[in-house]
Amino acid sequence: MAVIEAASTLTDDELRTRLVEWLRENLPPLWVEAVEEGDEEKLHQARDLVDYNDWCARLGEAGWTTPTWPAEYGFLGLSGAQAKVVNEELARWRVPRSFNIIGIGMGGPTIMQWGTDEQKQRLLEPMAKHEEIWCQLFSEPGSGSDVASLATRAVRDGDEWVVNGQKVWTTLAHMAKWGLLVARTDPDKPKHKGLSYFIVDMKAPGVEVRPLKQITGDAEFNEVFFTDVRIPDSMRLGPEGEGWMVATTTLMNERAALSGAGSASDQNVGGGPVDAVIALAQKNGSANDAVVRQRLAQAVIEGRVIKMTNLRANAARKAGHQPGPEGSITKLFQAEYNQRLQNLAVDILGDNGMAWLPDDEATATTVRGFLRSRANTIEGGTSEIMRNILGERVLGLPKEPSVDRDIAWKDVKRSS
Ligand SMILES: Cc1cc2nc3c(=O)[nH]c(=O)nc-3n(C[C@H](O)[C@H](O)[C@H](O)COP(=O)(O)OP(=O)(O)OC[C@H]3O[C@@H](n4cnc5c(N)ncnc54)[C@H](O)[C@@H]3O)c2cc1C
């Protein structure tokens, strides 16, 4: 890693200056001009001059992709407040960011909390540099919301584990080098207690990945089959039988990542670009409609509410707390908010939202956003489950009845 030394001792202004210097040195001159002049057309042209993988590698190598990761492992070691400066400046420069979000947003924090020194040394750097893509192997055909009931088995064989079973909805498995895998290592224990957490090499013999095509036409997730896949014990994360605890770290970070917590502006919360929807309404004249105007105003207000809730959660994290159940508030609200916003966008498009000319990329992108947003209230835990978590852990309501919580997993009745 080639990060600036003692970055955490810099003032916000010094940090911003160092980052801008780095961006000027590393972006094509046309990009710098486009940002300085606010010229969208030039920026569009400049994008063709940047090789995405090479750019993500350089951004990661300099530490800007993962600003809060520790200096001890070659990263910048910045505070949450300093990271905000970095992310604001990167957003202003409109630079491409790595799509390796399951690694960077979920795997990295889990490895930092539970991993051995060797695991951290081996895995964090290529993750941050977009060289090794990660996926999350939790959900199974019979275990989604109740993921602790999962059936994929890992059986110890000397210094290795032999894994058999099936996962589903595995985002990015077709591109991944590593997977975050939860498997059952002790079926005699109740469901939460007999799990262990592994890092699996997705290129290992016996791993079969089958893409699933979704409503948008893309195939971003997959079915994954494991047949006698061998994982060295050195790739177990956390203690044997404590896989649920480790998985909870991943899930808390997933909810934080899906809650728009990383967004620097309330005008672009978690992929819901309010400004773009307002511009669309102004362009086609529907901004003159009183109901559309009210819905736009409501969207702006809700965006601000999410931003403020995220700021409170960030402040708690800055004070040294791990992401807690409050992540479920913004995960729930962000998912339902984004669906309302995308509905509004296609309502504004009117008939054009059903049929458009082949070169009308803007409309295609808006409709794709609408279709993709259907998944928001399912992925990372459904809205019903978020409400259960909030009821139990934030409001202190009685726990949902669970008949199988204390019986051995092998004795729980399930459909085969
Ligand atoms: C786009 C997308 C990407 C995904 N990526 C991944 C991934 O990379 N890795 C991964 O492991 N998983 C992934 N998932 C899976 C996701 O985590 C599950 O779909 C989700 O947890 C719900 O599980 P399920 O689909 O089995 O639905 P089920 O659990 O079968 O739920 C069906 C319905 O019943 C409701 N329900 C279930 N239990 C309760 C309850 N106790 N109280 C009230 N209502 C309940 C649910 O809310 C839902 O409406 C992804 C899903 C999507 C949509």
Side-chain angles (χ1 to χ4, degrees), residues 222-278:
N222 307 267
E223 295 177 298
V224 179
F225 296 84
F226 295 97
T227 311
D228 293 333
V229 175
R230 292 191 162 262
I231 304 179
D233 190 50
S234 60
M235 292 304 253
R236 177 167 43 79
L237 198 55
E240 188 180 332
E242 297 289 348
W244 183 250
M245 293 263 287
V246 186
T248 303
T249 305
T250 311
L251 291 170
M252 293 295 190
N253 281 286
E254 179 175 27
R255 272 156 213 166
L258 289 172
S259 65
S263 63
S265 148
D266 52 342
Q267 290 300 302
N268 191 346
V269 183
V274 185
D275 271 352
V277 181
I278 294 174

Side-chain angles (χ1 to χ4, degrees), residues 102 135-147 167-172 214 220-221 254 372 375-385 388 400:
I102 295 175
C135 66
Q136 176 197 17
L137 299 146
F138 285 20
S139 305
E140 297 185 2
S143 304
S145 297
D146 184 16
V147 73
K167 298 286 173 175
V168 74
W169 312 126
T170 318
T171 308
L172 292 177
Q214 63 211 68
E220 61 180 327
F221 49 62
E254 179 175 27
R372 179 60 182 78
N376 295 161
T377 46
I378 306 172
E379 60 196 331
T382 68
S383 287
E384 289 78 13
I385 295 300
N388 281 352
E400 186 184 12

Side-chain angles (χ1 to χ4, degrees), residues 214-216 220-221 254-255 257-260 269-273 306 327-343 366 368-387:
Q214 63 211 68
I215 194 173
T216 53
E220 61 180 327
F221 49 62
E254 179 175 27
R255 272 156 213 166
L258 289 172
S259 65
V269 183
I306 294 177
S328 302
I329 301 175
T330 38
K331 176 1 181 138
L332 171 64
F333 195 53
Q334 165 63 29
E336 298 188 353
Y337 161 73
N338 193 44
Q339 288 184 348
R340 282 192 291 278
L341 187 64
Q342 304 301 329
N343 289 354
T366 306
R368 188 187 175 282
F370 164 75
L371 293 172
R372 179 60 182 78
S373 71
R374 301 302 94 193
N376 295 161
T377 46
I378 306 172
E379 60 196 331
T382 68
S383 287
E384 289 78 13
I385 295 300
M386 292 305 119
R387 288 190 165 89

Side-chain angles (χ1 to χ4, degrees), residues 86-207:
V86 170
N87 285 322
E88 273 169 8
E89 202 57 38
L90 292 176
R92 195 172 76 77
W93 283 74
R94 309 269 296 277
V95 296
R97 307 298 296 270
S98 169
F99 62 73
N100 194 18
I101 199 68
I102 295 175
I104 294 163
M106 296 151 60
T110 311
I111 292 169
M112 275 184 277
Q113 188 172 340
W114 294 94
T116 60
D117 200 43
E118 291 73 38
Q119 288 169 340
K120 292 177 196 172
Q121 296 285 3
R122 163 65 187 86
L123 299 165
L124 293 177
E125 186 178 329
M127 180 191 283
K129 285 161 69 179
H130 190 82
E131 288 168 355
E132 291 178 344
I133 304 301
W134 286 66
C135 66
Q136 176 197 17
L137 299 146
F138 285 20
S139 305
E140 297 185 2
S143 304
S145 297
D146 184 16
V147 73
S149 68
L150 61 85
T152 293
R153 281 283 276 129
V155 177
R156 203 187 243 280
D157 181 21
D159 284 345
E160 292 183 325
W161 294 83
V162 181
V163 179
N164 282 283
Q166 184 199 342
K167 298 286 173 175
V168 74
W169 312 126
T170 318
T171 308
L172 292 177
H174 55 299
M175 302 176 81
K177 162 67 180 161
W178 299 109
L180 305 163
L181 170 73
V182 185
R184 189 155 306 280
T185 44
D186 189 349
D188 292 327
K189 295 244 170 75
K191 62 181 178 182
H192 291 93
K193 302 207 171 114
L195 300 169
S196 300
Y197 196 121
F198 301 93
I199 294 165
V200 59
D201 182 349
M202 295 297 287
K203 308 295 173 201
V207 179

